[in-house]
């Protein structure tokens, strides 16, 4: 499927750095600033429901990472580290920081690297369905878990996910390789920002054992499960995840300058 041209909506703009381009869509206003990073094969549109809720609380920026959504393919597939550096450059250039950084699935890997490599830019970190479980860091186990997770899933999730996977283009194999070769557990101990790890209680891609390991590895982290949800919890019905995110952020509101 041909990639859509860069949008002309004034709330949507592109940012290029070191040979790669991301696309950002903004809603809401004020602080905090929520920055949303999607998973593999997806794009910023999967956050529409969550962004609508969070926009009542502050400024929300959802990103298409390079080669996803309406962002053009880079000449070379970016590693998670280089993707994090691109997002960090965007945050600095746009004078957004520090941000409340929210990553979903592969987006948690980018978010973790950003928080570890550029700590001054991240106020709070939220990892939703963190990947990749180091006990299943191969394509076959990951696909098997994803298939089991999607069995009987809501048609909206299947439609949005399938549409975005098609838009991700022919380089999805290289992107998957970059995701699976990344070692997020090396970044976790270097994260200084208070962190919330969210998991759908029925998520078959991110088992509880792995999520507990993630929480234990990050110096200031806590864990929460969303009952009745799977890996794509923020696509099917983001309200419960949003409620937990808002509650987590609210704990730090009194410490925010200007509150």
């Amino acid at each position: 499927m041909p990639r859509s041209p860069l949008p002309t909506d004034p709330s949507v703009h592109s940012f290029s750095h070191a040979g790669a381009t991301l696309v950002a869509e903004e809603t809401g206003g004020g602080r905090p600033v929520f920055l949303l990073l999607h998973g593999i094969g997806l794009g910023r549109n999967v956050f529409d429901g969550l962004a609508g809720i969070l926009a009542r609380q502050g400024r929300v920026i959802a990103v298409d990472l390079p080669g996803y959504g309406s962002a053009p393919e880079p000449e070379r597939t970016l590693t998670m580290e280089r993707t994090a550096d691109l997002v960090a450059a965007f945050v600095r250039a746009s004078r957004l920081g520090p941000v409340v950084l929210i990553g979903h699935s592969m987006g948690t890997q980018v978010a973790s690297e950003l928080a570890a490599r550029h700590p001054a830019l991240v106020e709070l970190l939220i990892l939703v369905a963190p990947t990749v479980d180091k006990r299943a860091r191969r394509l076959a186990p990951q696909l098997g878990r994803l298939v089991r997770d999607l069995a009987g899933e809501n048609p909206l999730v299947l439609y949005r996910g399938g549409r975005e996977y098609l838009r991700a283009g022919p380089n999805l194999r290289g992107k998957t390789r970059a995701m699976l070769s990344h070692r997020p557990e090396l970044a976790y101990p270097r994260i200084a920002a208070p962190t919330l790890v969210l998991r759908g209680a029925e998520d078959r891609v991110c088992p509880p054992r792995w999520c507990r390991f993630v929480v234990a590895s990050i110096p200031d982290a806590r864990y929460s499960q969303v009952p009745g949800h799977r890996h794509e919890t923020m696509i099917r019905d983001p309200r419960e995840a949003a409620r937990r995110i808002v509650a987590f952020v609210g704990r730090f509101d009194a410490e925010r300058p200007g509150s």
Side-chain angles (χ1 to χ4, degrees):
M1 178 179 293
R3 185 169 305 284
S4 302
L6 292 178
T8 57
D9 185 329
S11 68
V12 180
H13 58 279
S14 63
F15 172 81
S16 298
H17 174 77
T21 299
L22 59 77
V23 172
E25 181 171 5
E26 182 172 336
T27 186
R31 297 201 68 86
V33 177
F34 298 94
L35 183 62
L36 313 183
L37 306 180
H38 59 78
I40 191 166
L42 302 176
R44 72 181 192 276
N45 290 340
V46 301
F47 287 127
D48 284 351
L50 179 66
I53 297 171
L54 295 181
R56 304 169 196 162
Q57 309 294 324
R59 185 178 178 189
V60 181
I61 299 172
V63 167
D64 283 336
L65 296 172
Y68 296 98
S70 56
E73 288 283 353
E75 289 188 9
R76 294 184 179 181
T77 300
L78 273 63
T79 64
M80 300 296 102
E81 293 88 346
R82 295 285 79 79
T83 306
D85 290 344
L86 169 66
V87 178
F90 166 68
V91 172
R92 287 194 182 96
S94 305
R95 299 181 179 179
L96 300 176
V99 300
V100 176
L101 185 60
I102 304 175
H104 172 247
S105 197
M106 182 201 73
T108 67
Q109 296 174 243
V110 178
S112 295
E113 286 292 345
L114 200 162
R117 296 163 72 88
H118 307 277
L121 301 182
V122 181
E123 179 180 10
L124 300 171
L125 178 64
I126 295 146
L127 306 177
V128 185
T131 54
V132 175
D133 180 356
K134 65 179 182 178
R135 296 192 181 187
R137 199 171 277 144
R138 300 188 315 280
L139 182 58
Q142 287 298 310
L143 283 177
R145 288 182 178 187
L146 183 60
V147 168
R148 291 194 298 273
D149 190 81
L150 291 175
E153 182 56 276
N154 185 290
L156 176 63
V157 172
L158 299 177
Y159 167 72
R160 286 188 174 177
R163 179 188 62 186
E164 294 301 327
Y165 266 81
L166 286 173
R167 293 176 70 185
N171 296 318
L172 192 56
R173 178 178 295 182
K175 297 169 185 175
T176 302
R177 188 180 304 117
M179 179 187 76
L180 294 177
S181 64
H182 179 240
R183 301 292 187 266
E185 64 272 16
L186 300 181
Y188 294 150
R190 298 168 17 234
I191 294 172
T195 301
L196 174 66
V197 176
L198 269 180
R199 173 183 178 270
E202 299 176 15
D203 187 343
R204 292 168 174 81
V205 178
C206 300
R209 178 192 65 249
W210 168 247
C211 290
R212 287 194 290 267
F213 170 82
V214 174
V215 172
S217 301
I218 298 172
D220 184 5
R222 58 225 73 192
Y223 179 47
S224 182
Q225 288 199 142
V226 182
H229 285 259
R230 303 184 185 187
H231 192 63
E232 308 296 349
T233 178
M234 292 192 297
I235 301 174
R236 175 160 57 93
D237 182 355
R239 289 175 296 180
E240 186 58 31
R243 186 183 70 79
R244 292 164 190 252
I245 291 169
V246 169
F248 175 69
V249 173
R251 297 180 55 185
F252 300 90
D253 274 347
E255 302 172 14
R256 185 178 294 113
S259 294

